[in-house]
Amino acid sequence: MATDTRSRDTRPPATEAAVSEDREFSFSTDDYAYLRAMLKEKTGIELGPTKQNMVYARLAKRLRKLGFKTFRDYIEFIGTPAGVDELGTTLNALTTNLTKFFRENHHFEHLGTAALQEVRARAVSQGRRLRIWSAGCSSGEEPHSIAITLLQSMPDIKQWDAKVLATDIDTEMVRRGSEGVYPAASQEGIPADIARKYFEPHGADKVRVTQDARSLITFKHLNLIGNWPMKGPFDAIFCRNVVIYFDKDTQRVLFERYANLLVPGGFLYIGHSENLFGITERFKLLGRNIHRKIA
Ligand SMILES: C[S@@+](CC[C@H](N)C(=O)[O-])C[C@H]1O[C@@H](n2cnc3c(N)ncnc32)[C@H](O)[C@@H]1O
């Protein structure tokens, strides 16, 4: 059941004393406990007890900008109707968005070879339809890597109904992803021929993913622990480096829902430090965190 994070404590004054006095804004352990519970309830993300300084650093600039003197005032504001937009900004600030192009490249190699071979085999009886979901896409490097892989591996892609869905809970990441503009330095590690073919200069020190790759992707704001409007089925789902922040029960529900949305034999790619042991029996591990739906 959802925690009611709005029924805030009647904190003993002693807790206030625990707040570091040399900080610009007071931030008690109870304030931190409130923000942790709220983040868990709204996003599934669990912050460890030791992340209080990180949360302070990420939110202090919001307090400064809005003129709040304490975290308690800020927390009270985001719980009011007037604070709804700011609540979104709070959640954006507390997500971890680290990503890069072709991160864990073996997944893209698998997609462009073995996975697409199976998609082609299915197309003989089911038509040329291809659907891939990048769930927890951050600023778009992952879905753009998927789109580039498809363009590279499918010379006949124009004859396919091929789409990549890219979703994230962080609205700012979704905005950036759909723009497809990145610092030139983000191309480090991408083979030069791919960089030349799929990125074009965009102002000083920036590049933009080319239109043919961008046009394969639809970016949407979506909470993985909320309702999903899409019906699938997907041929492959990338959900990498997302569930490390979720507890086991949240992961159980999520992987069950992924299995339900994948075609029989469809592929699930998860991050290098994630695993499905004790979470679900509906996938078979093929190696390097590539899983096949078996049930
Ligand atoms: C570390 S990034 C991973 C990005 C990319 N998948 C990769 O592996 O490079 C994790 C992303 O998951 C998103 N995320 C966390 N909780 C989420 C939720 N409940 N619903 C949707 N996205 C979520 C975060 O906003 C963040 O952008």
Side-chain angles (χ1 to χ4, degrees), residues 121-191:
R122 273 198 294 276
V124 174
S125 57
Q126 296 170 17
R128 293 180 166 189
R129 179 184 180 278
L130 171 61
R131 293 287 183 277
I132 301 181
W133 181 13
S134 165
C137 65
S138 189
S139 39
E141 287 84 338
E142 180 178 275
H144 283 117
S145 304
I146 294 171
I148 292 170
T149 302
L150 298 183
L151 288 169
Q152 279 291 95
S153 320
M154 300 177 73
D156 60 344
I157 194 160
K158 289 217 157 60
Q159 288 144 40
W160 283 71
D161 169 18
K163 289 187 182 150
V164 179
L165 173 67
T167 64
D168 203 280
I169 197 170
D170 185 328
T171 49
E172 173 58 17
M173 291 302 120
V174 174
R175 190 195 63 73
R176 280 199 220 165
S178 51
E179 251 177 34
V181 174
Y182 298 95
S186 68
Q187 291 190 293
E188 254 170 52
I190 303 179

Side-chain angles (χ1 to χ4, degrees), residues 245-266:
Y245 306 106
F246 295 171
D247 66 21
K248 298 275 178 214
D249 285 339
T250 309
Q251 293 187 24
R252 247 171 231 124
V253 174
L254 185 62
F255 288 117
E256 184 66 22
R257 294 174 84 189
Y258 286 157
N260 293 341
L261 272 192
L262 278 166
V263 298

Side-chain angles (χ1 to χ4, degrees), residues 31 46 50 71 120 166 171-172 194 205 214 224 226 277 281 283 288-289:
D31 294 333
E46 282 205 308
T50 59
F71 270 74
R120 283 188 183 282
T171 49
E172 173 58 17
I194 300 286
D205 300 330
R214 279 188 289 120
L224 289 172
F277 299 118
E281 305 272 302
F283 295 89
R288 307 195 80 179
N289 272 346

Side-chain angles (χ1 to χ4, degrees), residues 1-10 30 33-42 75 79:
M1 206 172 91
T3 329
D4 180 9
T5 47
R6 294 192 53 187
S7 53
R8 298 205 60 236
D9 65 292
T10 46
D30 285 349
Y34 173 85
L35 286 172
R36 275 177 80 191
M38 184 207 63
L39 189 69
K40 172 89 195 290
E41 178 200 333
K42 296 201 181 301
I75 285 168

Side-chain angles (χ1 to χ4, degrees), residues 25-266:
F25 307 107
S26 73
F27 186 26
S28 70
T29 47
D30 285 349
D31 294 333
Y32 179 54
Y34 173 85
L35 286 172
R36 275 177 80 191
M38 184 207 63
L39 189 69
K40 172 89 195 290
E41 178 200 333
K42 296 201 181 301
T43 69
I45 298 171
E46 282 205 308
L47 288 181
T50 59
K51 302 285 185 196
Q52 184 164 351
N53 286 341
M54 179 197 86
V55 169
Y56 181 96
R58 290 190 182 183
L59 292 179
K61 48 183 172 297
R62 297 305 307 162
L63 273 75
R64 204 171 294 127
K65 180 153 191 218
L66 297 172
F68 290 111
K69 295 277 179 283
T70 68
F71 270 74
R72 169 174 269 201
D73 292 344
Y74 180 72
I75 285 168
E76 271 162 16
F77 174 63
I78 59 178
T80 64
V84 166
D85 286 352
E86 184 58 25
L87 172 62
T89 307
T90 313
L91 298 180
N92 288 356
L94 296 180
T95 56
T96 295
N97 309 115
L98 187 74
T99 187
K100 63 187 269 213
F101 288 107
F102 296 98
R103 180 183 198 182
E104 298 174 55
N105 189 39
H106 45 274
H107 290 164
F108 302 98
E109 284 169 0
H110 179 269
L111 173 68
T113 54
L116 282 183
Q117 212 174 329
E118 294 191 16
V119 170
R120 283 188 183 282
R122 273 198 294 276
V124 174
S125 57
Q126 296 170 17
R128 293 180 166 189
R129 179 184 180 278
L130 171 61
R131 293 287 183 277
I132 301 181
W133 181 13
S134 165
C137 65
S138 189
S139 39
E141 287 84 338
E142 180 178 275
H144 283 117
S145 304
I146 294 171
I148 292 170
T149 302
L150 298 183
L151 288 169
Q152 279 291 95
S153 320
M154 300 177 73
D156 60 344
I157 194 160
K158 289 217 157 60
Q159 288 144 40
W160 283 71
D161 169 18
K163 289 187 182 150
V164 179
L165 173 67
T167 64
D168 203 280
I169 197 170
D170 185 328
T171 49
E172 173 58 17
M173 291 302 120
V174 174
R175 190 195 63 73
R176 280 199 220 165
S178 51
E179 251 177 34
V181 174
Y182 298 95
S186 68
Q187 291 190 293
E188 254 170 52
I190 303 179
D193 56 327
I194 300 286
R196 260 195 312 275
K197 202 162 158 194
Y198 297 106
F199 293 85
E200 50 206 17
H202 190 85
D205 300 330
K206 294 223 166 103
V207 291
R208 187 170 200 197
V209 180
T210 51
Q211 168 68 17
D212 54 346
R214 279 188 289 120
S215 64
L216 287 173
I217 311 171
T218 305
F219 283 89
K220 292 261 183 235
H221 175 244
L222 182 123
N223 186 347
L224 289 172
I225 66 162
N227 293 327
W228 300 351
M230 61 279 188
K231 304 238 176 325
F234 290 97
D235 298 284
I237 297 176
F238 284 66
C239 183
R240 308 183 312 154
N241 311 298
V242 177
V243 304
I244 25 167
Y245 306 106
F246 295 171
D247 66 21
K248 298 275 178 214
D249 285 339
T250 309
Q251 293 187 24
R252 247 171 231 124
V253 174
L254 185 62
F255 288 117
E256 184 66 22
R257 294 174 84 189
Y258 286 157
N260 293 341
L261 272 192
L262 278 166
V263 298

